[in-house]
Amino acid sequence: MTILIATHNLSKNYSEASSIINTLLKCLPDVVFLSEFNYKEHKKTIYNRLIDEGYELYLPCEYKQTLTSSCLLAIKNKNTLVTNFEQTKRPKITLSSRYITGKLELVSGDTLHLFFCYAPQLIFKDPKLKKARLEHKRNMIGDMKDFCEEKRGLHVMIAGDFNTDLQDGLDDVHRRDFNDIYEMMIDTEPNKDSTYYKKRLDYALVSSNLKNSHTILLSTPSDHKALVTRIIMS
């Protein structure tokens, strides 16, 4: 069986939020993961729209509606391939508003283990803020690596905006950890094209038992490309 998963960084282009979600929904995804989600700004255009379209919504385990840069998971709950989603909490992630993990149970009896996240940027003038964000990023990518190792032999998908381009080198532990993850997993986007201007920051990686899965990049009014991945269970 196959399941269609769309992942996208919305950016802060709030005036185009309706257009962005319209573009994604035309693909008829079974699952949608959105990063840089802002509840106040996106409540009507995205949050309520997804509910109206028959999606069940999940926010991070530790979430406050005042957050301006979080994430949202939407799973189709009518005429769907999904029977259940069990959300889980990861032990090492300190930026708890920027990830959603769990087990997606399918009508085929298969289980897909998901790790979706929005890793922090490190472009800050304030050295204290940059140091704090770097520690958050190390924890998140490090826990992602642990997740991949824990789930060896299972069906796994790792996706989102990792704010990491492998072309930038391996000068920090979070880059080395991400390189290890990349080597463990299968890159579903064969062309390895840029997703944010000239950078490749957004990924959809799967375990080797999902190697026939594939991703296409989709342009929206966001400054990031959306990733639409067809997961082929085997």
Side-chain angles (χ1 to χ4, degrees):
M1 67 169 291
T2 66
I3 181 169
L4 196 66
I5 299 179
T7 58
H8 196 24
N9 183 315
L10 295 167
S11 78
K12 288 186 167 61
N13 192 355
Y14 301 133
S15 63
E16 297 287 355
S18 292
S19 179
I20 291 171
I21 199 65
N22 286 341
T23 302
L24 291 180
L25 291 176
K26 285 179 182 177
C27 300
L28 303 178
D30 301 295
V31 177
V32 179
F33 176 74
L34 302 172
S35 54
E36 212 155 333
F37 172 76
N38 181 325
Y39 182 84
K40 181 180 178 181
E41 296 290 342
H42 292 134
K43 185 176 189 296
K44 292 182 179 179
T45 53
I46 291 179
Y47 191 90
N48 290 348
R49 173 70 190 286
L50 286 167
I51 291 173
D52 291 343
E53 292 291 331
Y55 287 86
E56 186 171 350
L57 305 186
Y58 297 84
L59 292 163
C61 291
E62 297 180 18
Y63 180 78
K64 297 178 182 178
Q65 290 186 2
T66 54
L67 293 169
T68 60
S69 220
S70 186
C71 55
L72 176 71
L73 179 67
I75 300 173
K76 193 76 171 175
N77 58 17
K78 295 176 182 176
N79 301 319
T80 184
L81 301 175
V82 179
T83 59
N84 186 51
F85 176 67
E86 181 182 338
Q87 190 169 359
T88 56
K89 187 175 180 179
R90 297 298 301 168
K92 293 183 181 178
I93 298 180
T94 48
L95 201 58
S96 55
S97 63
R98 288 198 177 192
Y99 81 96
I100 296 176
T101 57
K103 297 190 299 183
L104 196 69
E105 296 176 6
L106 308 177
V107 293
S108 62
D110 294 308
T111 299
L112 182 60
H113 298 267
L114 303 176
F115 190 120
F116 292 150
C117 71
Y118 172 34
Q121 295 176 328
L122 301 177
I123 305 172
F124 297 98
K125 292 182 180 180
D126 184 337
K128 290 185 179 179
L129 181 56
K130 184 174 182 178
K131 182 179 179 181
R133 285 302 181 97
L134 177 59
E135 191 62 27
H136 284 313
K137 190 165 189 175
R138 287 170 174 168
N139 291 339
M140 181 175 285
I141 302 299
D143 195 87
M144 185 191 299
K145 181 179 176 180
D146 291 346
F147 184 89
C148 293
E149 291 172 342
E150 291 165 14
K151 308 299 181 188
R152 282 185 184 273
L154 303 177
H155 294 115
V156 178
M157 181 180 187
I158 308 289
D161 176 2
F162 300 159
N163 269 309
T164 302
D165 191 329
L166 288 171
Q167 300 302 313
D168 292 337
L170 304 175
D171 58 341
D172 189 87
V173 64
H174 79 269
R175 294 187 185 280
R176 294 190 288 275
D177 280 346
F178 181 63
N179 185 67
D180 290 344
I181 293 166
Y182 191 83
E183 294 296 323
M184 272 192 271
M185 306 291 278
I186 302 293
D187 191 340
T188 59
E189 202 288 282
N191 299 321
K192 300 177 175 55
D193 287 333
S194 301
T195 61
Y196 175 77
Y197 298 102
K198 294 183 179 180
K199 291 285 188 181
R200 189 177 189 215
L201 305 180
D202 309 83
Y203 298 82
L205 309 178
V206 298
S207 50
S208 59
N209 49 18
L210 300 174
K211 63 183 179 181
N212 293 323
S213 305
H214 56 273
T215 294
I216 61 168
L217 299 184
L218 186 66
S219 294
T220 78
S222 170
D223 51 13
H224 286 252
K225 297 284 182 65
L227 280 68
V228 181
T229 305
R230 185 168 298 280
I231 298 291
I232 301 175
M233 306 299 293
S234 59

